[in-house]
């Protein structure tokens, strides 16, 4: 029998609320929905005595199992509960051993025996995504849309021996929007409200207040699971019915029709409000009239004359395209040439013949490069064609994208007609008059070269930490958005111009991008300031300034990526040549934090792009705006579509999907150590992605009595309070030699009192607000813990009495090694100071290294021998001597131990986004 159980003691959060009445629960099911129900029930104080879920698939546990195993909850993974309709005794015995009082079944794909259903004191409850008795069965959400229901909802019911027929405990409903899909309906209502309802239902049972309302058979319906074979759309019906059929089958199994003799699946249907845009007619089998391929998609007409528009098409070979690109997708017939265009084509054929003199005849299938053409021949071809056909816009890159004669003529004719001109980038800005300028901020997902709403149209508020006001609403990306972004990045890497581009040309585009960032630096710094709380002058110099420097530095690397030749033993009488090549990895994911939103983007994405990769980047949920502005500038710089994709949203959804996605080959992450561990595990289990992690720190700064006191005070304060303490390499703990300790603290406090706390856009402000309220609350709690453990609060420790998320610069002394604040990172303006005995160099080194982190460190002393001795023994990726926070784009940056691995900046960072291929030739 395949099952496992984990028996580790679980820990409850001290902030969890416990109800007076609690139950022992067995969770039977699977999926992210099951995981959320499980986690929320535990938060409410119920005891989960066992989780029963499906076995691991391809070495990866179900999300419910992952959460339960992490908490130490017993987990059982049964492949089945019954054989030939009869319960398996040892499975049932294992279930009974946990002693559950109630079975909770949030989503379960297995058949559970009735002696398990009825075993607990309170029986079993099940979640079903329809308003029972309507749409019983496994495809309830699909049929809600297919049938055109005006209301959707869910039921929590008591399990019985029927199929979704048990008494109702609780029901909730919502309106179905005209263009809802299975995904939008689920994500907007059925998922979040369903979780709350399951938790509420359990509490009603615990309190003895849960109803049992018998289901009526009036209006009851049961529909089976839809399969591809019966999902063909009937186009001989009203437009709304066609629309309902398509959206009800969206994603799985997919509604399909027949176009030009092949099956084509239709995705992303919406009703067309006004008249259709101009386009090309398309005959579709069974349609009342031809469809129209427009710039917005494929318009289909119902028998009532009304219309709908389909966004995407998928062909039999699995290739999916925007419906608007049908006639240029290669899946339809070629462009029909006019007589004049045919004459031009023959002239171009003669040009090809003049260049490819070794080829007897230029056929439609003749390949320019396979026939021996070189780079100079490309220039000649482009210039001769432009000379013969004045006004046509051609570039060398066009020849590389259309290498056969037939493809070249098709491209030429479309270019001549103006059919494949790049569409103008459409941006729906959020604007704000601030800092003596009007800033224009994109706020939608950036996918495949364009801005668009999240798939489910969901948004969230991004907040100005200076006063707590809403800056604007930002798209909240879904898993479907991640998949589309990755697909776009993969297409751009494998088939787009980026992968074929000369490295020097790639560098030129990155230089141009850096120039545009410099041109918009005041706007970028203003956005960074209002979104993250960074002091404007610091945002201008560091957040934005270093970002520009980073892109220029890596732009210069593009044409300098080299392999090696390697002498190897010869197999006589033959000779061998072995050499290595550095190649890009492919599609990379980048997940960045909120403390330096634009700079962290630059540190990772510049190296990634210089190496020739494409990327999908998730900015921090609380600071998305400069990343989206960067996306706009990347288009203006000429970066091809699909190369850069930006997805604002949650780490739990977007970040997790990026970690799991099988088409991503590398993930670069900056953030906390616990999340880094989770990412590393997901990357390993999914497809063994390459990973680089820049994680937490508790960087020690050692100040010896022979230091330059003025400099040590100034730089020591900078090491802690720079960027409001929201700095990954901040000095998390200062060790000050006993003989100067009191003087040092006195001078630090004196300087703190001079600091101006206030509006980050005020040029005289020294200290702005913390990034967001939750972080401020954690900092205040951090200070409370320090006080309770006996540390001395010399200064600060409180929230500033003004609107916004401001905290006083804080100083703790008398911090002992065992204390929480001595071991854990605050990530805020909190100076943690400990004394060390005069002359005890080795002792203070031992204390400084007594941490699981190793990101940065520092030492202040006038004794160069002591400085070198200490720097050699500090276990950190960066050691500062008589300075601090001195980073440069050419110097590698990264940590040791649980501060992560891999480097940002410098040549080392470039290697993080390259792979080495060895080639051996015998001659």
């Amino acid at each position: 029998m395949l099952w496992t159980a984990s028996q580790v003691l679980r820990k409850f959060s001290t902030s969890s609320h416990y109800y007076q009445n609690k139950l022992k629960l067995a969770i039977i099911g699977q999926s992210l929905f099951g995981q959320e129900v499980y986690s929320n029930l535990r938060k409410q104080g119920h005891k989960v005595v066992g989780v029963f879920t499906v076995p691991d698939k391809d070495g990866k546990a179900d999300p419910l199992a992952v959460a339960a195993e992490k908490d130490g909850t017993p987990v059982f993974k049964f492949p089945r509960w019954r054989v030939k309709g009869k319960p398996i005794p040892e499975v049932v015995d294992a279930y009974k051993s946990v002693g559950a009082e109630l079975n909770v079944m949030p989503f379960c794909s297995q058949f559970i025996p009735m002696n398990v259903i009825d075993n607990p004191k309170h029986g079993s409850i099940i979640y079903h995504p329809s308003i029972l008795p309507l749409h019983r069965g496994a495809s309830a959400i699909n049929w809600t849309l297919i049938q055109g229901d005006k209301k959707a909802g869910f039921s929590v019911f008591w399990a019985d021996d029927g199929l979704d027929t048990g008494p109702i405990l609780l029901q909730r409903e919502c309106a179905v929007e005209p263009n809802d899909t299975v995904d939008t309906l689920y994500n907007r209502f059925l998922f979040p409200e369903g979780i709350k309802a399951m938790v509420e239902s359990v509490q009603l049972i615990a309190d003895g207040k849960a109803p049992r309302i018998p289901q009526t058979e009036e209006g009851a319906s049961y529909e089976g699971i839809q399969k591809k074979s019966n999902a063909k759309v009937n186009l001989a019906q009203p437009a709304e019915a066609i629309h309902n059929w398509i959206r009800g089958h969206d994603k799985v199994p997919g509604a399909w029709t027949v176009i030009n003799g092949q099956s084509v699946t239709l995705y992303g249907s919406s009703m067309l409000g006004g008249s259709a845009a101009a386009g090309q007619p398309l005959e579709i089998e069974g349609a009342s009239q031809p469809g129209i391929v427009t710039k917005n998609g494929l318009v289909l007409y119902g028998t009532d004359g009304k219309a709908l528009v389909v966004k995407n098409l998928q062909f039999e070979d699995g290739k999916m395209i925007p419906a608007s690109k049908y006639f240029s997708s290669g899946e339809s017939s070629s462009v029909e040439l006019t007589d004049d265009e045919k004459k031009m084509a023959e002239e171009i054929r003669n040009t090809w013949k003049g260049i490819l003199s070794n080829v007897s005849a230029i056929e439609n299938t003749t390949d320019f490069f396979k026939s021996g053409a070189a780079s100079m021949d490309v220039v000649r071809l482009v210039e001769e064609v432009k000379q013969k056909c004045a006004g046509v816009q051609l570039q060398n890159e066009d020849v590389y994208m259309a290498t056969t004669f037939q493809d070249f003529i098709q491209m030429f004719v479309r270019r001549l007609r103006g059919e494949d001109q790049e569409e103008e980038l459409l941006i729906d800005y959020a604007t704000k008059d601030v800092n003596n300028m009007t800033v224009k901020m994109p706020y939608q997902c950036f996918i495949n070269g364009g801005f668009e709403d999240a798939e489910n149209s969901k948004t969230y508020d991004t907040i100005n930490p200076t006063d707590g006001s809403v800056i604007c609403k930002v798209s909240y990306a879904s898993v479907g958005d991640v998949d589309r972004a990755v697909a776009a990045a993969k297409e751009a890497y494998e088939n787009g111009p980026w992968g074929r581009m000369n490295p020097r040309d790639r560098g030129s585009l990155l230089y141009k991008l850096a120039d545009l960032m410099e041109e918009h630096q005041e706007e970028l710094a203003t956005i960074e300031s209002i979104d993250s709380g960074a002091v404007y002058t610091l945002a201008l110099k560091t957040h934005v300034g270093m970002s520009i420097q980073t892109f220029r530095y890596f732009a210069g690397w593009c044409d300098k990526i080299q392999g090696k030749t390697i002498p190897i033993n010869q197999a006589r009488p033959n000779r061998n040549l072995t050499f290595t090549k550095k190649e890009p990895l492919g599609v990379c994911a980048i997940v960045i934090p909120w403390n330096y939103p634009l700079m962290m983007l630059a540190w990772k994405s510049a190296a990634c792009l210089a190496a020739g990769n494409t990327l999908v980047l998730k900015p921090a949920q609380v600071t998305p705006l400069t990343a989206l502005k960067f996306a706009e500038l990347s288009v203006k710089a000429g970066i091809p579509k699909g190369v850069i994709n930006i997805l604002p949203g949650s780490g739990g959804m977007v970040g997790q999907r990026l970690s799991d996605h099988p088409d991503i080959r590398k993930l670069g992450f900056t953030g906390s150590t616990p999340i880094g561990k989770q990412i590393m595990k997901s990357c390993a289990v999914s497809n063994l992605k390459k990973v680089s992690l820049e994680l937490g720190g508790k960087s020690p700064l050692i100040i010896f009595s022979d230091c330059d006191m003025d400099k040590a005070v100034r730089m020591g304060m900078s090491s802690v309070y720079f960027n409001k303490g929201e700095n990954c390499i901040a000095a998390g703990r200062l060790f000050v030699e006993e003989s100067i300790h009191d003087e040092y603290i006195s001078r630090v406090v004196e300087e703190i009192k001079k600091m101006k706390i206030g509006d980050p856009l005020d040029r005289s402000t020294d200290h702005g607000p913390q990034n967001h309220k939750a972080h401020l609350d954690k900092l205040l709690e951090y200070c409370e813990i320090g006080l309770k453990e006996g540390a001395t609060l010399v200064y600060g420790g409180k929230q500033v009495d003004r609107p916004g998320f401001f905290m006083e610069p804080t100083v703790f002394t008398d911090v002992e090694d065992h204390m929480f604040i001595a071991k854990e990172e605050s990530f805020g303006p909190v100076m943690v100071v400990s004394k060390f005995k005069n002359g005890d160099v080795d002792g203070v080194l031992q204390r400084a290294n007594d941490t699981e982190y190793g990101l940065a460190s520092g030492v202040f002393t006038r004794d160069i021998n002591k400085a070198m001795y200490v720097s050699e023994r500090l276990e950190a990726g960066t050691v500062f001597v008589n300075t601090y926070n001195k980073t440069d784009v050419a110097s590698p940056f990264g940590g040791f131990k649980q501060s992560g691995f891999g480097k940002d900046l410098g040549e080392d960072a470039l290697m993080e986004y390259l792979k080495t291929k060895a080639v051996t030739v015998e001659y």
Side-chain angles (χ1 to χ4, degrees):
M1 181 56 55
L2 295 175
W3 62 275
T4 59
S6 171
Q7 300 291 343
V8 183
L9 288 174
R10 60 188 180 148
K11 298 178 180 178
F12 285 102
S13 167
T14 56
S15 63
S16 293
H17 173 72
Y18 294 91
Y19 284 111
Q20 185 177 359
N21 301 308
K22 297 179 289 186
L23 293 176
K24 295 178 181 178
L25 307 176
I27 308 294
I28 304 175
Q30 63 207 77
S31 79
L32 184 61
F33 183 74
Q35 177 195 45
E36 289 294 323
V37 170
Y38 158 82
S39 298
N40 280 273
L41 286 169
R42 288 185 76 249
K43 287 179 183 177
Q44 300 307 321
H46 297 287
K47 184 173 183 179
V48 180
V49 294
V51 164
F52 299 83
T53 187
V54 293
D56 297 355
K57 185 176 181 181
D58 298 327
K60 184 177 180 182
D62 183 83
L64 173 57
V66 171
E69 288 169 346
K70 181 179 179 181
D71 294 333
T73 301
V75 177
F76 303 81
K77 302 176 182 179
F78 300 130
R80 62 190 64 83
W81 292 69
R82 307 186 306 179
V83 173
K84 296 182 179 179
K86 294 183 178 180
I88 301 171
E90 54 266 43
V91 172
V92 175
D93 289 344
Y95 159 76
K96 290 181 177 180
S97 69
V98 303
E101 298 171 322
L102 174 70
N103 291 334
V104 179
M105 303 168 67
F107 172 74
C108 183
S109 63
Q110 297 177 311
F111 288 100
I112 310 301
M114 285 308 299
N115 59 341
V116 171
I117 295 290
D118 295 335
N119 182 74
K121 171 184 175 182
H122 296 290
S124 304
I125 59 170
I126 303 176
Y127 170 90
H128 185 77
S130 78
I131 306 171
L132 292 173
L134 195 62
H135 305 311
R136 294 168 176 165
S139 297
I141 312 176
N142 304 74
W143 284 102
T144 296
L145 296 174
I146 292 170
Q147 298 274 340
D149 295 352
K150 300 304 179 185
K151 290 184 178 180
F154 58 81
S155 307
V156 180
F157 68 96
W158 299 92
D160 64 5
D161 58 359
L163 186 61
D164 304 331
T165 57
I168 301 298
L169 191 160
L170 180 152
Q171 288 185 323
R172 297 281 187 271
E173 63 181 39
C174 71
V176 177
E177 300 296 332
N179 293 318
D180 263 332
T181 64
V182 172
D183 280 353
T184 61
L185 197 54
Y186 183 73
N187 292 328
R188 186 182 80 247
F189 183 78
L190 299 176
F191 180 86
E193 295 303 318
I195 293 164
K196 296 176 187 175
M198 288 297 281
V199 175
E200 181 182 345
S201 297
V202 171
Q203 192 56 45
L204 287 171
I205 296 169
D207 294 339
K209 299 178 181 178
R212 291 176 179 262
I213 304 169
Q215 287 193 43
T216 175
E217 289 304 305
E218 183 179 347
S221 66
Y222 172 83
E223 297 93 2
I225 298 174
Q226 282 295 90
K227 299 179 180 178
K228 194 73 174 181
S229 57
N230 58 11
K232 184 178 181 181
V233 60
N234 173 17
L235 297 172
Q237 55 182 332
E240 188 173 354
I242 299 171
H243 166 62
N244 288 337
W245 184 267
I246 295 171
R247 65 175 176 152
H249 290 82
D250 213 313
K251 293 293 185 288
V252 178
W256 58 277
T257 188
V258 176
I259 302 176
N260 285 339
Q262 70 163 308
S263 300
V264 178
T265 306
L266 313 173
Y267 293 108
S269 171
S270 58
M271 292 298 294
L272 188 63
S275 57
Q280 292 180 260
L282 179 65
E283 293 292 336
I284 303 173
E285 183 180 289
S288 58
Q289 63 185 86
I292 302 176
V293 176
T294 73
K295 64 179 182 180
N296 299 318
L298 172 61
V299 175
L300 301 175
Y301 290 92
T303 53
D304 56 355
K306 295 181 180 179
L308 59 135
V309 61
V310 173
K311 188 175 181 181
N312 296 311
L313 305 176
Q314 187 174 36
F315 298 97
E316 291 175 350
D317 62 1
K319 181 180 179 182
M320 183 179 287
I321 64 165
S324 60
K325 302 295 184 183
Y326 179 83
F327 285 111
S328 57
S329 68
E331 300 294 338
S332 59
S333 58
S334 301
V335 172
E336 196 73 35
L337 272 60
T338 65
D339 289 341
D340 287 342
E341 289 166 347
K342 288 177 182 178
K343 292 177 182 177
M344 292 182 190
E346 287 307 310
E347 289 186 31
I348 294 173
R349 191 187 299 270
N350 291 333
T351 301
W352 275 53
K353 178 61 181 171
I355 296 171
L356 304 176
S357 56
N358 58 315
V359 178
S360 57
I362 303 299
E363 308 289 345
N364 285 343
T365 56
T366 300
D367 188 286
F368 194 66
F369 297 102
K370 290 180 181 179
S371 300
S375 58
M376 278 304 300
D377 299 316
V378 172
V379 177
R380 176 182 168 185
L381 174 60
V382 169
E383 294 306 316
E384 283 197 33
V385 171
K386 286 164 68 176
Q387 188 177 36
K388 290 178 179 178
C389 309
V392 69
Q393 297 295 315
L394 283 183
Q395 298 178 356
N396 295 351
E397 204 61 46
D398 296 324
V399 183
Y400 293 101
M401 297 296 292
T403 60
T404 67
F405 182 74
Q406 179 175 334
D407 288 346
F408 185 85
I409 292 300
Q410 290 286 307
M411 177 275 298
F412 165 77
V413 170
R414 288 194 175 95
R415 191 65 54 83
L416 194 65
R417 296 176 181 179
E419 291 179 2
D420 64 349
Q421 296 296 313
E422 282 294 321
E423 297 177 9
E424 182 182 354
L425 179 65
L426 300 177
I427 307 175
D428 190 6
Y429 291 109
T431 60
K432 204 168 189 69
D433 293 323
V434 62
N435 202 24
N436 298 317
M437 67 180 78
T438 299
V439 293
K440 300 167 69 176
M441 300 169 286
Y443 58 86
Q444 298 166 294
C445 300
F446 182 72
I447 300 174
N448 201 27
F451 288 98
E452 56 185 81
D453 289 338
E455 185 180 59
N456 54 17
S457 300
K458 190 173 180 181
T459 62
Y460 69 96
D461 294 336
T462 188
I463 304 297
N464 183 341
T466 301
D467 57 10
S469 64
V470 175
I471 301 171
C472 64
K473 291 189 176 295
V474 178
S475 290
Y476 190 83
S478 68
V479 169
D481 294 313
V482 176
D483 291 343
R484 290 188 299 111
V486 173
K490 185 179 181 184
E491 176 68 17
Y493 176 75
E494 294 180 350
N495 301 314
W498 189 253
R500 306 176 192 180
M501 192 176 292
N502 183 302
R504 199 163 295 163
D505 293 337
R506 189 163 65 240
S508 296
L509 290 180
L510 294 183
Y511 276 123
K512 187 175 181 181
L513 178 55
D515 291 344
L516 282 165
M517 291 170 70
E518 187 170 53
E519 184 181 324
H520 290 263
Q521 60 182 332
E522 288 86 2
E523 184 179 20
L524 286 167
T526 302
I527 296 171
E528 191 92 332
S529 187
I530 64 173
D531 203 25
S532 76
V535 172
Y536 176 76
T537 50
L538 178 67
L540 194 62
K541 178 183 180 296
T542 301
H543 289 235
V544 178
M546 193 173 187
S547 300
I548 296 167
Q549 293 173 23
T550 303
F551 270 97
R552 285 186 174 141
Y553 173 81
F554 283 107
W557 267 109
C558 288
D559 60 354
K560 301 172 185 68
I561 299 171
Q562 302 176 27
K564 300 176 181 177
T565 56
I566 303 172
I568 65 170
N569 287 339
Q570 308 293 341
R572 296 177 180 175
N574 298 316
R575 297 180 64 79
N576 300 99
L577 169 65
T578 294
F579 60 92
T580 61
K581 298 172 64 181
K582 295 289 186 181
E583 298 180 347
L585 300 171
V587 181
C588 298
I590 293 173
V591 180
I592 57 174
W594 43 259
N595 57 326
Y596 294 104
L598 185 64
M599 195 171 78
M600 292 297 99
L601 176 152
W603 280 22
K604 295 187 186 300
S605 62
C608 174
L609 295 169
N613 302 286
T614 58
L615 65 86
V616 180
L617 182 140
K618 193 201 88 65
Q621 184 172 342
V622 291
T623 53
L625 295 180
T626 44
L628 294 170
K629 188 67 180 180
F630 166 84
E632 176 193 348
L633 298 180
S634 75
V635 176
K636 292 181 177 179
I639 305 293
K641 66 180 183 179
V643 173
I644 295 171
N645 303 271
I646 310 285
L647 298 176
S650 75
M653 185 180 295
V654 176
Q656 186 61 51
R657 180 55 180 158
L658 290 171
S659 301
D660 293 336
H661 204 292
D663 289 333
I664 290 174
R665 293 299 168 191
K666 159 72 192 279
L667 192 147
F669 172 74
T670 295
S672 72
T673 296
I675 298 300
K677 290 179 179 180
Q678 183 178 333
I679 284 174
M680 190 173 177
K681 181 178 179 180
S682 297
C683 288
V685 170
S686 56
N687 62 342
L688 213 62
K689 293 176 182 66
K690 187 175 182 179
V691 181
S692 57
L693 304 171
E694 195 256 278
L695 306 176
K698 188 67 176 174
S699 301
L701 174 57
I702 303 172
I703 301 175
F704 288 100
S705 59
D706 61 353
C707 68
D708 178 335
M709 180 64 85
D710 290 340
K711 189 174 185 181
V713 169
R714 186 176 70 255
M715 300 303 297
M717 290 182 64
S718 175
S719 75
V720 175
Y721 303 126
F722 188 81
N723 199 46
K724 312 111 62 183
E726 295 167 354
N727 187 18
C728 49
I729 57 172
R733 191 174 181 194
L734 274 65
F735 295 92
V736 182
E737 198 160 5
E738 195 169 30
S739 62
I740 63 167
H741 175 273
D742 293 350
E743 180 190 356
Y744 186 85
I745 297 301
S746 175
R747 292 185 60 174
V748 165
V749 171
E750 184 181 332
E751 291 302 316
I752 289 176
K753 291 177 180 178
K754 300 176 185 177
M755 292 174 65
K756 180 178 178 179
I757 302 172
D759 183 355
L761 293 175
D762 183 336
R763 305 310 194 259
S764 63
T765 294
D766 299 302
H767 189 80
Q770 305 308 134
N771 187 276
H772 51 283
K773 187 177 186 303
H775 181 53
L776 173 62
D777 292 343
K778 285 183 179 179
L779 289 172
L780 296 173
E781 182 182 4
Y782 184 91
C783 292
E784 288 176 10
I785 293 172
L787 277 171
K788 288 177 182 177
E789 289 190 328
T792 300
L793 179 62
V794 176
Y795 193 90
K798 299 188 295 295
Q799 182 174 356
V800 178
D801 185 17
R802 59 167 291 161
F805 312 139
F806 292 84
M807 181 174 178
E808 296 175 337
T810 299
V811 180
F812 277 102
T813 60
D814 302 318
V815 178
E816 299 178 16
D817 294 353
H818 67 275
M819 291 181 178
F820 176 83
I821 63 173
K823 294 179 176 294
E824 296 300 324
E825 180 180 29
S826 72
F827 212 67
V830 183
M831 182 179 284
V832 176
V833 185
S834 299
K835 294 179 186 178
F836 68 95
K837 293 180 180 179
N838 295 332
D840 189 11
V841 177
D842 290 326
V844 74
L845 272 170
Q846 183 177 355
R847 295 171 70 190
N849 287 328
D850 186 19
T851 172
E852 276 299 301
Y853 299 112
L855 188 57
S857 60
V859 54
F860 278 81
T861 176
R862 285 191 172 97
D863 185 339
I864 187 61
N865 293 322
K866 187 190 297 182
M868 295 305 295
Y869 180 87
V870 171
S871 67
E872 287 175 4
R873 287 160 177 77
L874 282 170
E875 298 170 0
T878 297
V879 180
F880 298 108
V881 178
N882 294 328
T883 188
Y884 210 90
N885 288 324
K886 180 61 179 175
T887 54
D888 186 86
V889 294
S891 178
F893 179 95
F896 298 161
K897 299 188 285 189
Q898 292 200 46
S899 288
F901 51 83
K903 298 295 182 182
D904 290 325
L905 304 179
E907 184 180 0
D908 295 57
L910 201 63
M911 298 304 113
E912 297 290 337
Y913 293 93
L914 292 166
K915 59 191 176 188
T916 302
K917 177 184 287 184
V919 180
T920 299
V921 181
E922 185 172 281
Y923 60 96

